[in-house]
Amino acid sequence: MSNIAIVYYSQGGATAMIAHSVAQGVNDAGAHAQLLSIEPHQFIDGQWHDDALLMRLAAADAIIFGAPAFQGGIAAPFKAFADATTGRWRTHDWRNKVAGGFSFSYRSEDDKRDTLDFFAALAAQHGMPWADADEADIAPRASGTQRGQRGIQRHPGHFPAVTAPGADVDAAYALDPADVIAGKQYGRHVAALVARLAGEVLESPAVLARRAREAAERRL
């Protein structure tokens, strides 16, 4: 069973909700998701420190990054975490692990795109192949879907889709339910990619439960 880590920073709750939906998608696909949150207590004199979390990331088969987009770029706490991974770059701990990412923005998709580009660049620095969103999952809800006063239209690749304007950055109440669905789809997509690269065949918990029930019935 693949072990997929989701390391994220959330200020107001929306990014955390997406992280949990991604984890659910990973688990639904038959892999194991572990949620790792970047927290204030991990900062000492302005620098991020958590060796135990870094060890868990080193043991994972894939790492998915998550953070809200602030003022057109990556949130500072996540940037501090990324800076602290330099030692892992020297020892190639993350090399060849599948990487992915998601972001939240209540402004334009350009803010979020810069954050996703940061994740992709971080992955490239560590020698990690990038798992983009599966357009087959996103495209069906992109056709003509608009939301909010600005009439924002969804397009394949805008994952998660841009949310409506709100008073607070990363506010949970501003999260579109469609973004939660997209998170589950993305989690399943990353889990399936990791399985294919490892030569595994993933099955959902429902299928595994059915097979166990059938096996038990045969023994009766």
Side-chain angles (χ1 to χ4, degrees), residues 36-139:
L36 305 172
S37 177
I38 296 172
E39 300 290 345
H41 71 266
Q42 298 165 337
F43 289 85
I44 302 174
D45 295 330
Q47 294 186 322
W48 186 90
H49 297 275
D50 193 332
D51 290 339
L53 189 150
L54 289 176
M55 290 178 63
R56 294 175 70 179
L57 291 175
D61 298 301
I63 302 174
I64 301 176
F65 308 117
F70 288 170
Q71 300 298 324
I74 188 72
F78 191 94
K79 178 61 166 62
F81 156 76
D83 290 345
T85 67
T86 301
R88 303 293 165 169
W89 170 80
R90 293 194 181 98
T91 55
H92 307 294
D93 283 1
W94 295 2
R95 183 173 295 277
N96 296 326
K97 298 181 188 293
V98 171
F102 59 90
S103 182
F104 174 90
S105 171
Y106 81 104
R107 295 181 180 177
S108 70
E109 59 267 32
D110 291 335
D111 289 341
K112 181 164 45 54
R113 187 73 257 173
D114 289 342
T115 299
L116 295 175
D117 287 344
F118 177 88
F119 293 152
L122 176 63
Q125 287 288 331
H126 283 279
M128 308 169 73
W130 179 260
D132 207 344
D134 188 347
E135 293 192 3
D137 288 335
I138 297 177

Side-chain angles (χ1 to χ4, degrees), residues 188-209:
R188 287 195 294 267
H189 171 63
V190 173
L193 175 60
V194 173
R196 287 197 300 272
L197 292 175
E200 299 176 358
V201 177
L202 286 182
E203 293 180 317
S204 69
V207 172
L208 295 174

Side-chain angles (χ1 to χ4, degrees), residues 1-5 26 31-34 56 59-63 194:
M1 178 184 293
S2 299
N3 178 19
I4 299 177
V26 169
H32 172 68
Q34 53 175 330
R56 294 175 70 179
D61 298 301
I63 302 174
V194 173

Side-chain angles (χ1 to χ4, degrees), residues 117-192:
D117 287 344
F118 177 88
F119 293 152
L122 176 63
Q125 287 288 331
H126 283 279
M128 308 169 73
W130 179 260
D132 207 344
D134 188 347
E135 293 192 3
D137 288 335
I138 297 177
R141 65 189 185 95
S143 56
T145 302
Q146 296 185 349
R147 52 189 309 274
Q149 296 178 349
R150 287 191 267 177
I152 298 170
Q153 185 172 359
R154 301 184 186 281
H155 299 281
H158 289 179
F159 170 76
V162 180
T163 59
D168 298 315
V169 176
D170 197 28
Y173 67 81
L175 184 63
D176 189 329
D179 291 340
V180 177
I181 297 173
K184 294 179 184 178
Q185 293 172 336
Y186 188 63
R188 287 195 294 267
H189 171 63
V190 173

